[in-house]
Structure formats: C-alpha cells, structure tokens
Amino acid sequence: MNLMHPFEDADGDTLHEECGVFGVTGSRDAAAVVALGLHALQHRGQEAVGITSFDGQEFYSRRGLGHVAQNFSSGAALAELPGTMAAGHVRYSTTGGSGLRNVQPLFADLATGGFAIAHNGNISNAMTLRRDLVKKGAIFQSTSDTEVIIHLIATSRYPTLLDRFVDALRLVEGAYSLICVTPRGMIACRDPLGIRPLVMGKIGDAVVFASETVALDVVGADFEREVDPGEVIEVAMDGSARSHRPFAAVPPRPCIFEHVYFSRPDSVMAGKSVYDVRKRIGVELAKEAPVEADLVVPVPDSGVPAAIGYAQQSGVPFELGIIRSHYVGRTFIQPSDGARHADVKRKHNANRAIVAGKRIVLIDDSIVRGTTSMKIVQMMRDAGAAEVHMRVASPPTGHSCFYGVDTPERSKLLAAQMDVAAMADFIHADSLAFVSIDGLYRAVGEAERNAACPQHCDACFTGDYPTRLTDLEDVPASQLPLPVGRVA
C-alpha cells in the first residue's frame, strides 16, 4: 500500500514519511521475514531499502535504492542474507541526503564485534556531536546522523556493549527508534519521549520489532506490546528478552502526526486504531467547520478516513470525486511545469460526472506549501464544481520538524506566512478550515491539549519542541527555519 501524498511533485509539497524499521531474531528465514515486514512499511520510506543478517558467525548486508520489491523479490537476493537474525530499514532521507552510502542498516566492526543499526527518527544534535568526534579523529563513512551513534558507542569507555550503547544514547538529543544486530543478539530501543513508534511481537519463539503493528500482521506475528519510551530491550540468541530502563522517566511525547498521516490506517497505536482516529478527526472537523455542501470528497488516499467521518457527522454524502490510478509511479522532476501537471493528471482525475454542478467539501490531511491544494481545487473547478470548500484534517503546519520528518524550511510553509483567510485565497478555495489542535487531541482520545505538558509531540503545529535543538543554536537568525529561541 502506497500512502505517499498522491499529488507529490517537484515542488516538495508534502510531508514525507520518516523511515521504517523491522527486525526479527530466532527465525529460520529471518531475511525473508524482514523483507515482508519492510514491504508492509514501504509507505514510510520509498527511496532506499537495506537488510543486514547474522548467522552466528558472519554478518551479511544488501542495500539498494528504490522499493523493497525492486531489491528483495528474488530468492537469490534473500539467499545472500543467511541467518536466524536480521534487521531492515526503508528510508526517505531526512538528515544526510540520498545516496547508497546512507542506506541503512549501517554496519561497523567494533571492539565488541560486528554491529548493525537501523534508525527511525532524527538526532537534533548530530552535527554538534559529529564535529566533536571528527576533532578527536573519527572518520565518517556516511553523512547520516545515525553514524554518530556508532562512533559514540565505539569511543565509549564502558566495558560491555549494552553499557556503551546506553552511554552513547545519553549524549543524543532528538528522536529515535533503533533496532541493532550484534553477535550476542538483538537490541531494540525507543527515545525517552517516545517520539517515534516501535512495537514488539512474536512468531512462535521468534521475537519481532517493527515501526507499526501492520508489519506484525503481514508477517503473521502476534502483537506483544509497544516498546515503552526510554526502554532498551535485549534479546539473546536463545530468544530470552531482558528489559532495561536506563533513562530518567519523563512524560512521553509520541508524534501526533502518526495518527494524522504517517502510519498506515490498518495499524494500531497506543491501543487506538489509526483508521478510527482519522475518522474521528473528520467528525471533529465537521463539528468545528460545517459548510452548506452537496458532496464530501476525499483527496485519496490519505484523506479518505477523515472524509468518511466528516460525511457521517455532517450528513453530507460521501463520494469519490477524485479517482486515483494505481498504475502510475511517483511524480519525479519533469522538464517543464506542463509535463509535471500532465503527470499529476495521469495519476489522479476528477470524477466529472459526480462533481459537476455540485458544492464540494474537499478533505485532505494537511497543507504544506499550498501548491498541491491549489491544483486539487482547480481540478474540481475544471470538472464543473459549483463551489470548492477545503477542510484539512490537521491544524495548520507552521513549523518545521526536526525529529525525522522531511518538512520544508519554515519560510516555505504556507501556514507560517499567511493566516487562514489568505491561505484560502492562495489556493483559490471558496472557504478553508483546519481542525483545531484541541479537536485533534479529542480525536486521539484526550479531553484537550495540556498546554503545560502536551501529551504528544505537536511541534509542527504549535512550535512547542520537546527537546533542545542544539544544532540550531549557533545558526544565524537569518538562516533559521523558525524564530530564534522559539520553542513554544
């Protein structure tokens, strides 16, 4: 299932997923299980994929650009990855840029033996740590922030690998869910705030870790539990698991945008169906921003559950006013604006017979730069819609993310430059409304947002960042993606 924003184009007008990680230990076909699990997580990263396995003696790695099926669909490819333990990663570049050298899992030979690491998230003090390590003689093989963790482990003076691992993470700021393959077993952990997701399951005696529960479903694993924020789980080669909690307990701040867009709708997060939450966002949106209309039309695929909720609450009929072709690949850079527009039209087309002459409520998950929304609104008008009202299933995205989501710099976010009325004019909609931040919190099961101690990381909406942003502290104010010192 591909949940990339359907109108993605060269303008970068979408919030790209972070990454997806999957690991299994104690399985005879470990690499094949990982490949299947990564296929279920393909929506989280479509730029590159990698798998590293361990057979008790040697480590084996295979990495490639493109999708899982392009790199791991053959038996020959999986035969290169023997062993009962393996970890994998699907990637959309956030820190480090594209290129094969940044494809994970990253591998290094440490004093304690081989070590492979797959990382979902972003280290917000990676550049500061990297400069210090380079001054001490470290030689980096990639530009990925994940490699900083490997060097911190290598230079730690603690005697055991687990102690070195924890020592390294104590120096790290930001967001991470990590799956590591070592000669003694697998290590999985989640940052103390739990910003990025990670779950644990079992297939018989084999232990599985994944970014989302849907990957457990696909490989036939039983869900055990979420990895707790700040928890480090060691799984030995015999399958025995030990839980460690080396960090001080703090109120968790899981990413709320997982519920809005990033996770697959058939996943479960914090005991809540993502699909149900998205429908409830639509319900809240209908309560907060009703409008006289004839049809509720989702922007497929990510707008569908919220549109269903909006239609059910408002009583306005739900219709598929935009039809998506599933046989067109992603829209890459084209030689002209006309070619880009033609590519969009090949991927999606207005259902003219449904929308002509109707007052339309368009439901989408977010507005980033606004150019995509403008094209969608124009598509409806070209198909004969009498009115086009846009409703967005998230609050205005006015701040950049520094925790593993590839958002544009703040100066390019439409909501950072305009109020809602001006945004409506920009996209040429008859009206525009976003769900409120409290409405979003109600949809995920909270009474309201606790401003003193938010229950989620919602910095992309509020500017309330839950960690220090060390790498930005020495950046000149003119180059910052948000005002200096703005953390609330």
Side-chain angles (χ1 to χ4, degrees):
M1 184 173 183
N2 180 350
L3 295 184
M4 288 298 291
H5 196 292
F7 288 87
E8 181 190 0
D9 59 21
D11 297 325
D13 188 25
T14 181
L15 298 179
H16 291 292
E17 295 85 347
E18 314 98 342
C19 297
V21 294
F22 189 98
V24 62
T25 182
S27 171
R28 286 188 305 171
D29 302 312
V33 173
V34 170
L36 186 58
L38 291 177
H39 192 273
L41 299 173
Q42 187 74 84
H43 60 285
R44 300 186 71 89
Q46 301 184 44
E47 180 182 280
V49 57
I51 297 176
T52 297
S53 68
F54 181 65
D55 66 358
Q57 298 294 325
E58 300 289 338
F59 287 82
Y60 306 86
S61 292
R62 182 182 174 94
R63 301 180 294 170
L65 301 179
H67 291 187
V68 178
Q70 293 173 279
N71 290 279
F72 294 103
S73 59
S74 70
L78 294 172
E80 296 177 13
L81 300 165
T84 60
M85 179 168 54
H89 186 270
V90 287
R91 180 174 192 265
Y92 185 88
S93 61
T94 53
T95 296
S98 60
L100 198 58
R101 65 174 176 160
N102 290 320
V103 179
Q104 298 185 32
L106 298 183
F107 175 81
D109 277 308
L110 305 179
T112 53
F115 183 83
I117 182 170
H119 171 206
N120 170 212
N122 207 56
I123 306 305
S124 58
N125 64 337
M127 293 305 298
T128 302
L129 292 171
R130 185 186 182 101
R131 283 196 299 267
D132 291 343
L133 287 163
V134 169
K135 288 178 181 177
K136 295 174 182 176
I139 300 173
F140 282 76
Q141 302 300 313
S142 77
T143 56
S144 169
D145 60 334
T146 309
E147 192 178 356
V148 169
I149 299 174
I150 294 177
H151 282 278
L152 292 174
I153 295 170
T155 56
S156 173
R157 305 181 78 173
Y158 281 87
T160 69
L161 176 60
L162 182 66
D163 287 338
R164 290 184 174 198
F165 182 70
V166 172
D167 184 40
L169 294 184
R170 290 189 192 281
L171 300 174
V172 163
E173 299 169 4
Y176 54 83
S177 286
L178 302 172
I179 298 176
C180 309
V181 177
T182 81
R184 294 191 176 183
M186 183 165 282
I187 301 173
C189 74
R190 197 173 171 198
D191 64 77
L193 291 169
I195 298 174
R196 300 269 67 88
L198 192 64
V199 296
M200 180 180 180
K202 296 197 77 173
I203 310 175
D205 293 330
V207 179
V208 182
F209 296 99
S211 291
E212 296 181 37
T213 61
V214 66
L216 302 182
D217 297 337
V218 168
V219 303
D222 295 322
F223 172 76
E224 292 281 308
R225 63 182 180 88
E226 291 194 352
V227 177
D228 290 333
E231 183 180 18
V232 178
I233 299 177
E234 274 188 300
V235 183
M237 296 299 288
D238 63 5
S240 60
R242 296 177 60 193
S243 172
H244 308 272
R245 300 176 187 272
F247 307 108
V250 293
R253 296 279 296 273
C255 173
I256 201 166
F257 213 85
E258 290 281 352
H259 290 286
V260 173
Y261 176 62
F262 291 132
S263 292
R264 264 180 49 160
D266 44 346
S267 282
V268 175
M269 294 191 65
K272 302 178 182 69
S273 160
V274 173
Y275 178 80
D276 286 344
V277 168
R278 289 179 186 168
K279 283 180 62 179
R280 290 198 295 271
I281 295 173
V283 169
E284 292 292 334
L285 193 53
K287 291 177 180 177
E288 294 179 350
V291 63
E292 291 286 335
D294 302 308
L295 300 176
V296 175
V297 173
V299 178
D301 289 323
S302 54
V304 172
I308 293 172
Y310 191 102
Q312 291 175 347
Q313 175 64 31
S314 66
V316 178
F318 171 97
E319 293 287 355
L320 294 178
I322 301 173
I323 304 301
R324 176 185 176 190
S325 169
H326 290 266
Y327 303 100
V328 180
R330 294 174 59 187
T331 308
F332 288 97
I333 295 174
Q334 300 290 344
S336 68
D337 288 339
R340 281 197 295 268
H341 182 69
D343 214 19
V344 167
K345 293 287 286 183
R346 286 201 307 271
K347 191 177 291 187
H348 285 82
N349 191 46
N351 191 350
R352 185 179 297 271
I354 293 295
V355 305
K358 301 296 197 303
R359 298 169 297 174
I360 305 299
V361 182
L362 274 175
I363 309 290
D364 205 355
D365 60 87
S366 61
I367 292 180
V368 184
R369 296 174 186 252
T371 52
T372 293
S373 299
M374 186 189 303
K375 292 176 183 177
I376 301 169
V377 171
Q378 189 60 48
M379 181 185 288
M380 293 292 96
R381 295 201 188 282
D382 291 344
E387 297 175 11
V388 183
H389 303 273
M390 179 157 271
R391 298 294 180 265
V392 183
S394 62
T397 304
H399 301 267
S400 300
C401 177
F402 301 100
Y403 302 119
V405 182
D406 187 41
T407 51
E409 60 188 65
R410 195 176 183 217
S411 64
K412 296 179 181 178
L413 294 171
L414 194 65
Q417 309 306 314
M418 303 179 182
D419 61 19
V420 174
M423 292 173 73
D425 288 341
F426 180 83
I427 67 173
H428 308 307
D430 291 286
S431 70
L432 170 66
F434 298 78
V435 73
S436 68
I437 190 69
D438 284 337
L440 179 57
Y441 269 78
R442 286 191 294 271
V444 298
E446 308 286 351
E448 62 183 4
R449 180 180 188 268
N450 183 342
C453 185
Q455 305 94 313
H456 292 270
C457 179
D458 53 25
C460 55
F461 306 130
T462 64
D464 186 351
Y465 293 94
T467 73
R468 283 184 63 186
L469 302 175
T470 298
D471 285 346
L472 295 181
E473 292 176 359
D474 296 328
V475 176
S478 61
Q479 298 178 24
L480 280 176
L482 69 165
V484 176
R486 177 65 183 273
V487 294

